[in-house]
Amino acid sequence: MKKLYEFLEERGISPTIQRLKILKYIEENLKHPTVDMIYQEISKEIPTLSKTTIYNTMNLFVEKGIVSELCVGEGEVRYEINLAPHAHFRCTECGNIFDVELDLKIFKIKKVDGNQIMHTSVYFTGKCSECLKKKGMINE
Amino acid sequence: MKKLYEFLEERGISPTIQRLKILKYIEENLKHPTVDMIYQEISKEIPTLSKTTIYNTMNLFVEKGIVSELCVGEGEVRYEINLAPHAHFRCTECGNIFDVELDLKIFKIKKVDGNQIMHTSVYFTGKCSECLKKKGMINE
DNA sequence: TTTCATATTTGAACCCTTTACAAATTAATT
DNA sequence: AATTAATTTGTAAAGGGTTCAAATATGAAA
Ligand SMILES: [Mn+2]
Ligand SMILES: [Mn+2]
Ligand SMILES: [Zn+2]
Ligand SMILES: [Zn+2]
């Protein structure tokens, strides 16, 4: 926990209990959690936790470049530790979101039609291998 | 309008006034409008129009494959006439959404890591050429 | 330690998009 | 015309997210 403490301090963020637990959670949880998922978990340890604090903290972390926001449809915002740009796959059956490690040169494009690109999002939706297995839906 | 009438009938959709106006609007408006934008416009012609009808109709059109839903962040759903898969650019300054005609072989991928891909989404965000011009922000 | 100023957290109210649902309207059948 | 089915409408409600002021914790100064 000392490491997380310093990690925040180095970035000019007061390392409060709430922020440390949240940071620890998203560091250990690579499932691209929603605010609600984070809240459900951490409120077990901090019963007085407010959901507003999660929203505040996530916005702060995004500003500081610690985590990145993710939009894969469904109108829910998801979060993950900031990594190299990568694509995602969302299963419409189980709802899980997987990292996709395709070597996508698309992430290197910085300008298109004169427009300056700041961020690139690539995601797929469909049925994941597990759900295909369970349902015997492997056709091709 | 006769053409739109037949267009709906051929697909087993009763061509009501509301549906015809909505279809006409998204056919002429290639700006990827939101439900609210569609509502604001068409309620001028049909003052009794309900926003629920827009939601119903857009869901129906999506089911029937007439239009496609679009998610380019910001948690707003947008719609456009169903076209060949293409990428989008959303300007964070003016909010406009542009089609991006890159020849992306990524749309041809049907399977990744054993997951079956049903849909692929690619979008960029940043500052569009117009906004760069207005602000004298053209650096590179 | 005590005091005071600042930062953070909390919880309630609120906004916005979308869905649910039942009543009202319209269209189609008999 | 009468009955039935489809569509539209309007209200309520769900869900995610923000705003804001009061409560609490933090940290520096005295
Ligand atoms: Mn990821
Ligand atoms: Mn488009
Ligand atoms: Zn799955
Ligand atoms: Zn712009």
Side-chain angles (χ1 to χ4, degrees):
Chain A
M1 206 73 157
K2 182 62 66 58
K3 289 182 77 172
L4 299 180
Y5 194 97
E6 286 160 11
F7 181 88
L8 290 179
E9 274 196 328
E10 284 166 14
R11 286 159 181 76
I13 299 174
S14 310
T16 65
I17 306 276
Q18 288 86 349
R19 288 169 177 169
L20 284 168
K21 298 254 188 195
I22 293 170
L23 180 59
K24 183 160 180 282
Y25 179 82
I26 54 179
E27 198 199 36
E28 294 173 350
N29 258 284
L30 308 178
K31 310 279 184 181
H32 313 89
T34 64
V35 160
D36 195 62
M37 292 174 190
I38 301 170
Y39 175 75
Q40 294 304 333
E41 267 308 300
I42 301 184
S43 63
K44 290 176 188 168
E45 302 178 54
I46 310 177
T48 63
L49 182 68
S50 168
K51 209 176 260 188
T52 304
T53 298
I54 313 280
Y55 282 110
N56 289 340
T57 303
M58 297 322 288
N59 289 338
L60 177 67
F61 284 0
V62 169
E63 273 175 39
K64 299 289 185 175
I66 295 172
V67 304
S68 55
E69 251 178 34
L70 204 60
C71 161
V72 287
E74 298 292 274
E76 357 169 63
V77 176
R78 289 166 175 273
Y79 296 94
E80 69 181 335
I81 285 278
N82 217 350
L83 302 170
H86 57 282
H88 291 94
F89 180 94
R90 175 169 57 82
C91 177
T92 53
E93 294 291 313
C94 63
N96 285 336
I97 295 170
F98 306 93
D99 288 339
V100 172
E101 304 298 348
L102 285 176
D103 175 31
L104 293 169
K105 56 200 77 160
I106 194 176
F107 289 111
K108 289 172 188 139
I109 304 175
K110 291 302 166 210
K111 187 172 271 192
V112 64
D113 300 339
N115 306 317
Q116 189 182 60
I117 295 170
M118 307 298 296
H119 184 255
T120 300
S121 164
V122 177
Y123 70 88
F124 309 94
T125 56
K127 299 195 172 67
C128 78
S129 55
E130 281 306 306
C131 288
L132 289 172
K133 222 175 285 175
K134 277 180 197 153
K135 294 209 164 189
M137 298 167 91
I138 305 175
N139 310 327
E140 43 177 326
Chain B
M1 206 73 157
K2 182 63 65 59
K3 290 183 74 174
L4 298 181
Y5 194 97
E6 287 160 10
F7 182 88
L8 290 180
E9 273 195 329
E10 285 166 13
R11 286 161 181 75
I13 300 174
S14 311
T16 65
I17 306 276
Q18 290 85 350
R19 287 169 177 169
L20 284 167
K21 299 255 187 194
I22 292 171
L23 180 59
K24 184 161 180 280
Y25 180 82
I26 54 178
E27 197 198 38
E28 294 173 350
N29 257 285
L30 308 178
K31 310 279 183 182
H32 313 87
T34 63
V35 161
D36 194 64
M37 292 173 189
I38 300 170
Y39 175 75
Q40 294 304 333
E41 268 307 301
I42 300 183
S43 63
K44 289 176 187 167
E45 303 177 52
I46 310 175
T48 63
L49 182 68
S50 168
K51 207 176 264 189
T52 303
T53 297
I54 312 282
Y55 281 108
N56 289 340
T57 303
M58 298 322 289
N59 288 339
L60 178 66
F61 284 0
V62 169
E63 272 174 38
K64 298 288 186 178
I66 295 172
V67 304
S68 55
E69 251 178 34
L70 203 61
C71 161
V72 288
E74 298 292 277
E76 355 171 64
V77 176
R78 290 166 175 273
Y79 296 94
E80 69 181 333
I81 285 277
N82 217 350
L83 302 169
H86 57 282
H88 292 93
F89 180 94
R90 175 169 58 81
C91 178
T92 53
E93 294 290 314
C94 63
N96 286 335
I97 294 170
F98 306 94
D99 286 339
V100 172
E101 304 299 348
L102 285 176
D103 175 31
L104 293 169
K105 58 201 76 164
I106 193 175
F107 288 110
K108 289 170 189 142
I109 304 175
K110 291 303 166 210
K111 187 171 271 194
V112 65
D113 299 340
N115 307 317
Q116 189 182 58
I117 295 171
M118 308 298 295
H119 184 256
T120 300
S121 163
V122 177
Y123 69 87
F124 308 95
T125 56
K127 299 194 172 69
C128 78
S129 56
E130 282 304 306
C131 288
L132 289 171
K133 222 176 283 175
K134 277 181 196 152
K135 295 207 162 188
M137 297 166 92
I138 306 175
N139 309 326
E140 42 178 323

